[in-house]
Amino acid sequence: EGLGHLRKLGVNQENNESSNIVKKSINFIDQEIIESYRNLKDRVARAKRSLDDKNIRSLDLHYLYARSYFLDDYKIRHSEVYNYYLGQAEKYWIDFSLYEQAMICLILNRNDKTQVADEILRSLKERSILHEELGRYWKTNRGYGWNQHPIEMQSVMIELFAELNEDQAVIDELRIWLLKNKQTNSWKTTKSTAAAIYALMINKDGASNSWLTDNQQVQISYGSNNATVDFDKAQEGTLYVK
């Protein structure tokens, strides 16, 4: 997933070492999902259940999401397995958390299943909360599972709304919540931090992100006086000055 994010941002991964890491990683997760499918078929047969029932887990969704960044140049090794879990995600999307629904929406859109993807996007937008100061967000139950982290969920939402060409104003509202959260909380893990930075850097249609390019100098005033203060050049991206 992390390598997929870098690719999405245009980070060059063509050197031999990076290409080898990507290739080995994809081969590994492809083999794992194939083995998982074999075990699933055995369990279903023993329990006399149907493969048409809901048999997809959160981890299977994460596989589909990570794999969706590498569909063009890394061929799916076992199309029956891949299409089975893709169909399960499409059929049972409403049974998952908001975070996972956003991931499913991205997965389906990248696999040309745009009708259901558009339906999920509309549903997610309708359930969002817009606050004048806090921006746009969702009420969720926090927990310790990977799919219960609010920062990573908000980051995936930003990616989703940017990729499906939602209004820029909506994308900015989502970013406001992310930054407002940072004012009073820490991004608790390195994965959350990386996800948040990714969400702040991506933009719809590949356009430049003005949030990271505005380089105006800080102005200071006290009382009725305006002070002229020389700062170092703002750090690119963070706009940090001293």
Side-chain angles (χ1 to χ4, degrees):
E1 177 190 318
L3 292 166
H5 288 175
L6 290 173
R7 166 178 278 209
K8 195 82 170 176
L9 293 173
V11 176
N12 184 8
Q13 299 175 15
E14 298 306 317
N15 64 71
N16 290 336
E17 184 178 359
S18 295
S19 296
N20 195 37
I21 290 172
V22 171
K23 184 177 180 179
K24 286 185 174 181
S25 300
I26 290 174
N27 286 340
F28 176 78
I29 62 175
D30 279 353
Q31 186 56 46
E32 286 293 301
I33 201 70
I34 291 169
E35 188 64 29
S36 178
Y37 181 67
R38 288 172 182 160
N39 293 334
L40 170 64
K41 290 179 74 174
D42 289 342
R43 292 196 307 272
V44 167
R46 287 196 301 269
K48 296 182 179 180
R49 292 170 49 225
S50 171
L51 282 172
D52 292 332
D53 296 338
K54 182 188 173 186
N55 296 306
I56 188 169
R57 307 164 301 165
S58 295
L59 191 60
D60 303 323
L61 286 181
H62 213 142
Y63 161 78
L64 292 172
Y65 174 64
R67 193 63 172 85
S68 68
Y69 291 100
F70 303 95
L71 293 176
D72 293 335
D73 45 357
Y74 290 90
K75 186 178 179 181
I76 299 296
R77 291 177 59 189
H78 200 310
S79 57
E80 177 191 344
V81 174
Y82 183 84
N83 289 333
Y84 173 75
Y85 286 110
L86 186 62
Q88 284 267 300
E90 182 179 16
K91 184 176 181 179
Y92 294 107
W93 68 267
I94 202 167
D95 294 339
F96 287 93
S97 68
L98 287 166
Y99 183 172
E100 291 160 321
Q101 288 179 14
M103 293 172 69
I104 292 171
C105 191
L106 284 165
I107 292 163
L108 296 179
N109 188 63
R110 291 169 185 173
N111 284 274
D112 299 323
K113 294 181 177 291
T114 55
Q115 182 175 347
V116 179
D118 290 342
E119 181 184 342
I120 297 172
L121 183 69
R122 284 196 305 272
S123 174
L124 290 171
K125 188 174 180 181
E126 288 170 0
R127 287 177 284 164
S128 66
I129 299 168
L130 181 59
H131 189 280
E132 184 177 357
E133 181 181 355
L134 300 178
R136 188 180 295 271
Y137 64 100
W138 288 261
K139 283 188 176 180
T140 60
N141 295 322
R142 301 189 181 192
Y144 295 102
W146 66 263
N147 53 354
Q148 296 174 304
H149 293 175
I151 298 300
E152 292 171 47
M153 187 198 83
Q154 189 78 3
S155 300
V156 169
M157 291 290 188
I158 293 170
E159 178 185 23
L160 169 62
F161 279 73
E163 186 167 315
L164 271 69
N165 291 317
E166 188 59 43
D167 291 341
Q168 187 63 48
V170 175
I171 299 168
D172 289 343
E173 289 162 359
L174 295 168
R175 286 192 173 123
I176 287 171
W177 183 91
L178 200 60
L179 294 173
K180 285 288 184 181
N181 180 278
K182 186 68 169 67
Q183 287 183 338
T184 54
N185 300 280
S186 65
W187 292 335
K188 297 185 182 301
T189 67
T190 51
K191 189 173 185 303
S192 292
T193 303
I197 292 171
Y198 170 64
L200 292 172
M201 293 181 70
I202 57 175
N203 221 9
K204 61 180 293 186
D205 300 327
S208 61
N209 190 337
S210 61
W211 285 50
L212 300 178
T213 56
D214 186 2
N215 199 19
Q216 292 182 349
Q217 281 284 17
V218 175
Q219 294 180 326
I220 294 179
S221 63
Y222 51 97
S224 59
N225 299 310
N226 291 319
T228 301
V229 181
D230 292 326
F231 290 95
D232 292 344
K233 182 180 178 181
Q235 187 181 71
E236 187 175 353
T238 66
L239 306 184
Y240 171 80
V241 295
K242 65 179 179 178

